Amino acid sequence: MRLGVLDVGSNTVHLLVVDAHHGAHPWPAHSEKVVLRLAEQIGPDGALTEVGADMLVKAVSMAKAAAAGLNTDDLIAFATSAVRDATNAAEVLARVRDETGVRLEVLPGADEARMTFLAVRRWFGWSAGRLLLLDIGGGSLEIAAGIDEDPVSAVSLPLGAGRLTRERLRLSPEDDTPPSARAVEELREYVDAQLDPVVEEIVEVGWERPVGTSKTFRTLARLAGAAPSGAGVWAKRSLTRTGLRQVIGFIRLIPPRQLTELEGVSMGRAHQLLAGAVVAEAVMRRLDLEKLTICPWALREGVILRRLDQFGPR
């Protein structure tokens, strides 16, 4: 069957279409995304602005049309932290449903961690032993650990790269000066404080293989010397704490508008890279991780796998 998954995140609205059936590897047939930066459309009252809602409705409508044109059998649509945190989320979701016919499901942060953990478990298999998952998104950080397909512990913290860039570093893509050393240090202290309540819980679960997923970790790994995306999904990639510290050492001195000149850094997220790197370093340091394996599968694949499991074998 052909499945479409529509991921409404803090930075992008991403449509992924795969060909798959129960028990098989989902093979990508089509992928497209539009950069909306919905999290930046949250007003002082915590509500998604009318402009943001307009952009979302248009993006969802276009994605639905694209999925229909590709003859998808099912379209799974979900939203993460940007919509989840909006005070007018119910109204926005109702408008999307009424104007596009698409029902967006808002994933709680812990469910986001569980779905991503499932994808990582299926990618590496049972031989990987007890897994630790780290996923830095635009709005939140997900951490999960366990031995089965459903993690023993799954937590979500408001430590997304986009959120911290806006609220703590106060950077924009057009800034031509890097943040001060004091601003970076204050961000690190804030991240450490947010991690305090969960570190002991995660350590108690334990792990044999620590894994990082999604765009922030992939970009940081690339800057630290991992294989480029052109090498394909099967290329083995990793990120060491030493390599990460070296990356932080030079990107903290580069103005946001110039970060796009670095290989592997996308224009839409360049200004968020430093905040994401600070979060990555903090969680690796607090959990005493010297190295992460980078997994090409993440939340979207986890959602697809869960849906296939619901269909069962045919």
Side-chain angles (χ1 to χ4, degrees):
M1 65 186 307
R2 175 161 283 190
L3 290 177
V5 57
L6 181 60
D7 176 0
V8 176
S10 297
N11 290 304
T12 63
V13 174
H14 190 162
L15 172 67
L16 175 66
V17 176
V18 301
D19 292 320
H21 61 269
H22 181 76
H25 185 296
W27 293 103
H30 178 77
S31 177
E32 64 179 63
K33 68 176 71 173
V34 57
V35 178
L36 294 189
R37 296 201 192 106
L38 281 182
E40 297 180 10
Q41 291 294 326
I42 300 295
D45 60 350
L48 185 65
T49 64
E50 186 174 353
V51 171
D54 289 344
M55 292 192 302
L56 177 58
V57 168
K58 181 178 179 181
V60 171
S61 180
M62 292 173 60
K64 179 184 178 182
L70 292 163
N71 299 315
T72 55
D73 299 295
D74 189 19
L75 178 63
I76 314 159
F78 65 90
T80 55
S81 64
V83 175
R84 182 170 67 225
D85 295 343
T87 56
N88 60 339
E91 293 88 338
V92 171
L93 294 172
R95 182 181 167 193
V96 170
R97 182 185 65 244
D98 292 343
E99 297 188 26
T100 71
V102 174
R103 290 182 177 272
L104 276 177
E105 177 185 358
V106 177
L107 284 183
D111 286 353
E112 193 174 335
R114 292 186 184 95
M115 294 283 193
T116 308
F117 186 88
L118 172 63
V120 172
R121 168 58 72 195
R122 294 280 179 92
W123 180 268
F124 289 110
W126 298 112
S127 63
R130 195 175 297 268
L131 288 171
L132 169 67
L133 159 75
L134 305 176
D135 184 343
I136 302 170
S140 58
L141 161 71
E142 275 67 51
I143 307 175
I147 189 68
D148 298 318
E149 290 195 337
D150 191 38
V152 174
S153 177
V155 298
S156 179
L157 299 172
L159 295 176
R163 183 194 299 270
L164 296 180
T165 298
R166 292 188 311 278
E167 298 178 359
R168 298 288 164 173
L169 294 180
R170 296 178 176 83
L171 293 177
S172 73
E174 295 77 26
D175 284 342
D176 55 10
T177 57
S180 67
R182 182 57 192 159
V184 175
E185 182 58 31
E186 288 177 350
L187 173 60
R188 181 177 288 111
E189 292 171 357
Y190 174 78
V191 173
D192 272 325
Q194 291 292 312
L195 289 171
D196 281 342
V198 304
V199 168
E200 184 177 351
E201 174 186 339
I202 299 298
V203 170
E204 285 183 357
V205 176
W207 59 83
E208 278 88 46
R209 176 172 291 191
V211 175
T213 70
S214 298
K215 184 67 173 180
T216 296
F217 274 118
R218 290 199 305 269
T219 301
L220 293 171
R222 178 70 189 107
L223 291 175
S229 58
V233 296
W234 305 111
K236 294 182 178 180
R237 297 176 175 87
S238 62
L239 174 65
T240 65
R241 203 158 97 200
T242 298
L244 176 58
R245 285 173 173 165
Q246 292 171 344
V247 169
I248 293 174
F250 71 81
I251 66 172
R252 67 182 296 175
L253 303 176
I254 301 175
R257 66 185 303 175
Q258 294 180 16
L259 284 172
T260 55
E261 298 174 10
L262 300 176
E263 184 179 355
V265 178
S266 63
M267 183 176 298
R269 301 184 189 223
H271 66 301
Q272 303 177 11
L273 186 60
L274 178 57
V278 169
V279 174
E281 190 279 332
V283 72
M284 290 183 74
R285 169 170 44 83
R286 296 295 301 276
L287 296 178
D288 196 23
L289 304 174
E290 291 300 327
K291 182 179 179 180
L292 290 175
T293 302
I294 304 300
C295 179
W297 278 6
L299 177 59
R300 284 181 290 275
E301 287 78 11
V303 170
I304 290 169
L305 291 167
R306 181 65 72 206
R307 179 57 62 91
L308 289 172
D309 287 348
Q310 293 171 351
F311 286 139
R314 292 189 173 185

